[in-house]
Amino acid sequence: MKRKKRAIAAMLAACVLLVSACSITEREASETGGTAAGQAAGENSQSDSQSETAAESASQQWAKEHQLDTTQSSEELYQNALKTAGGEINIYTVSGRMENVKATFEEDYPGLTLVVHDLNINELLEKFTREYEAGIYTADVIHVKEQTGQILREFVETGMMHNYQPEDIFGDVDEQYLQLTPMYFEADWWYYNTEQYDAPPIDSWWDLTREEWKDRFIMVDPLTDVGYMALLTTIVENADMMEESYKEEFGEDIVLEEDEPNAGYAFLKRFARNNPIFETSSNNVVKAVGAAGQEEAPLGYAVTSKIRERDQQGYLLGAVDNFSPAIGIYGMNVVEIADHAPNPDGAKLLIRYLTGDADGTARGFEPYNTLGGWSVRSVVPQIDGNIPFEDLNVFPQDLNYTYDHLNEVQEYWISVQP
């Protein structure tokens, strides 16, 4: 494991935009009709606005034409999908497990072909955006994890992707999750080595600011994985919870330093100064924590679904699932229909399949029904040993807040690195 030491001095210096003042007065502009440049700028602005409106209208019209707001049976969608795009359905996904879905989907729906494009999220969004802007429509379904508000704000609200929420599947899903089309949840929590500890050795985020844990905890670098920067942003958003948790932990009110705007920022600074060790993936984190025979195993923060590595890899992992004020944030895996999808009925059928279909038993969700993963639907049978999602103590999340404030939290995080 390589510790990343950052010596950043001028990164937060802002570039100053110099704007020349127009010499024409408001009265003169009114009398003369404004400068030629001003008239051209106004015309261009009006043209851009009209283009955006037309694009939104075309997107909305496409969604309406293909009945994305209608509930249809899987059999009806299957028959329609067979007659469209040669029966081919393309999914852009961040999950290697989608290959398992491909096998059962093609068995259950003979004649259809599921083409899986397995990409990391940056590659996926870049590929989809580039193709869409060029008028190349390949994707039918987009499967990504949403934690930052980017999918909501830049893709769904702009009409590049569409929600598809048939009543017989999403009618009983909590409305707070329906800004997008949710498939399942994951979260992150702290892991410890069960060979060294009989019980969780920490119970609060503030424990990680204590001297005894300095240099002894691992997480994925928030500067390389935006999901972890979303966590830090949510901690700042919930500064009141962090303040209460501090008092519970130390028995006194927090005293903020000059460069700590609130208890959320105070935690970020003190956490950073306790020298977290950064890794590149949750896989590496749980391996470092759970390996046998260590003299002093570290603590590690990683995705909840990695608890399955206890059985699959034999790692000695315990999960800290009772944590103050919350274990972290949930990551909502969403499945959206791409605007102008070549096989829209196939896309709708696949989303139904991935979410368990009407009765929750379709095989599409089976690869994702693991320890540390939770369907958004109560009708889907939960795997034995899983904590009910409603019992999982996570921070309240506002995707719009995260989207609007993530960059400023990131700048603060950079500034407090030792």
Side-chain angles (χ1 to χ4, degrees):
M1 292 171 285
K2 180 179 180 181
R3 181 182 308 285
K4 299 181 180 177
K5 296 287 187 179
R6 300 180 181 84
I8 297 175
M11 183 171 288
L12 299 181
C15 294
V16 180
L17 180 64
L18 299 178
V19 182
S20 298
C22 181
S23 59
I24 190 168
T25 66
E26 192 172 326
R27 178 183 58 79
E28 290 171 333
S30 175
E31 291 173 354
T32 64
T35 65
Q39 291 174 348
E43 291 169 0
N44 288 338
S45 175
Q46 184 178 9
S47 176
D48 289 343
S49 177
Q50 290 173 343
S51 296
E52 290 173 5
T53 302
E56 290 174 3
S57 177
S59 174
Q60 293 166 356
Q61 183 177 353
W62 183 89
K64 184 175 181 180
E65 176 185 347
H66 293 284
Q67 299 180 290
L68 299 194
D69 60 350
T70 301
T71 298
Q72 298 159 279
S73 71
S74 292
E75 181 59 28
E76 179 185 354
L77 294 172
Y78 172 40
Q79 295 303 324
N80 292 340
L82 283 170
K83 297 178 286 188
T84 307
E88 185 175 282
I89 304 161
N90 283 266
I91 182 167
Y92 290 10
T93 177
V94 294
S95 171
R97 286 180 277 178
M98 200 62 69
E99 288 290 347
N100 298 327
V101 175
K102 170 182 171 66
T104 60
F105 182 77
E106 292 177 356
E107 286 179 7
D108 293 343
Y109 294 103
L112 293 181
T113 300
L114 180 59
V115 181
V116 177
H117 304 257
D118 183 6
L119 306 161
N120 71 47
I121 189 166
N122 292 329
E123 293 171 336
L124 187 155
L125 294 177
E126 192 275 334
K127 173 179 171 63
F128 174 68
T129 301
R130 184 180 67 250
E131 291 175 344
Y132 186 85
E133 290 177 347
I136 300 170
Y137 305 118
T138 302
D140 293 295
V141 175
I142 306 293
H143 166 227
V144 293
K145 183 188 287 188
E146 167 68 303
Q147 291 179 296
T148 66
Q150 181 185 16
I151 305 303
L152 174 65
R153 295 279 286 272
E154 296 181 14
F155 292 93
V156 171
E157 290 186 355
T158 62
M160 292 175 66
M161 299 178 189
H162 298 282
N163 284 329
Y164 172 62
Q165 299 172 352
E167 180 66 23
D168 60 346
I169 291 179
F170 292 94
D172 62 350
V173 174
D174 193 316
E175 285 190 6
Q176 68 175 307
Y177 306 127
L178 295 181
Q179 290 175 292
L180 299 157
T181 301
M183 178 183 164
Y184 72 100
F185 297 107
E186 291 176 313
D188 295 270
W189 53 26
W190 286 99
Y191 288 94
Y192 62 95
N193 185 299
T194 55
E195 188 176 39
Q196 296 197 354
Y197 303 102
D198 295 329
I202 57 172
D203 62 8
S204 166
W205 282 102
W206 291 105
D207 274 329
L208 280 307
T209 68
R210 295 180 183 274
E211 181 67 24
E212 67 188 278
W213 292 108
K214 191 169 187 176
D215 301 302
R216 295 180 55 201
F217 57 99
I218 309 173
M219 68 184 296
V220 175
D221 189 347
L223 293 178
T224 62
D225 188 321
V226 72
Y228 290 91
M229 191 57 67
L231 164 69
L232 302 186
T233 305
T234 304
I235 285 175
V236 168
E237 178 188 1
N238 291 283
D240 55 341
M241 295 176 66
M242 295 301 293
E243 185 173 351
E244 292 173 13
S245 178
Y246 181 94
K247 188 169 185 177
E248 291 173 3
E249 187 68 25
F250 297 109
E252 59 186 14
D253 292 332
I254 188 170
V255 177
L256 298 176
E257 297 179 5
E258 187 175 345
D259 61 346
E260 297 173 344
N262 60 41
Y265 281 114
F267 169 77
L268 264 57
K269 188 183 80 173
R270 300 175 196 191
F271 181 76
R273 298 292 166 87
N274 228 22
N275 294 345
I277 300 167
F278 296 119
E279 265 292 359
T280 57
S281 69
S282 282
N283 283 333
N284 291 341
V285 171
V286 296
K287 181 179 181 180
V289 173
Q294 300 187 67
E295 289 186 11
E296 190 174 70
L299 304 175
Y301 193 69
V303 66
T304 50
S305 60
K306 291 301 174 184
I307 194 68
R308 67 181 186 269
E309 302 295 337
R310 288 185 306 193
D311 298 327
Q312 295 179 358
Q313 303 293 337
Y315 294 154
L316 305 171
L317 292 173
V320 187
D321 55 25
N322 185 15
F323 209 61
S324 175
I327 64 166
I329 62 176
Y330 62 79
M332 187 166 69
N333 279 257
V334 301
V335 278
E336 304 294 331
I337 293 182
D339 189 45
H340 286 78
N343 197 336
D345 285 321
K348 288 187 277 186
L349 177 65
L350 179 58
I351 289 177
R352 293 182 65 90
Y353 191 70
L354 288 168
T355 52
D357 217 323
D359 63 0
T361 64
R363 292 195 289 171
F365 188 67
E366 287 179 0
Y368 299 94
N369 199 11
T370 64
L371 287 174
W374 295 268
S375 170
V376 298
R377 304 177 61 209
S378 59
V379 70
V380 173
Q382 182 169 270
I383 191 168
D384 290 342
N386 234 4
I387 301 168
F389 182 74
E390 57 269 21
D391 293 342
L392 202 64
N393 180 27
V394 292
F395 282 111
Q397 284 174 254
D398 181 342
L399 291 175
N400 284 304
Y401 180 95
T402 302
Y403 186 86
D404 290 336
H405 296 277
L406 188 143
N407 285 340
E408 65 192 61
V409 173
Q410 178 170 286
E411 289 177 357
Y412 184 85
W413 174 251
I414 292 171
S415 74
V416 298
Q417 296 305 299

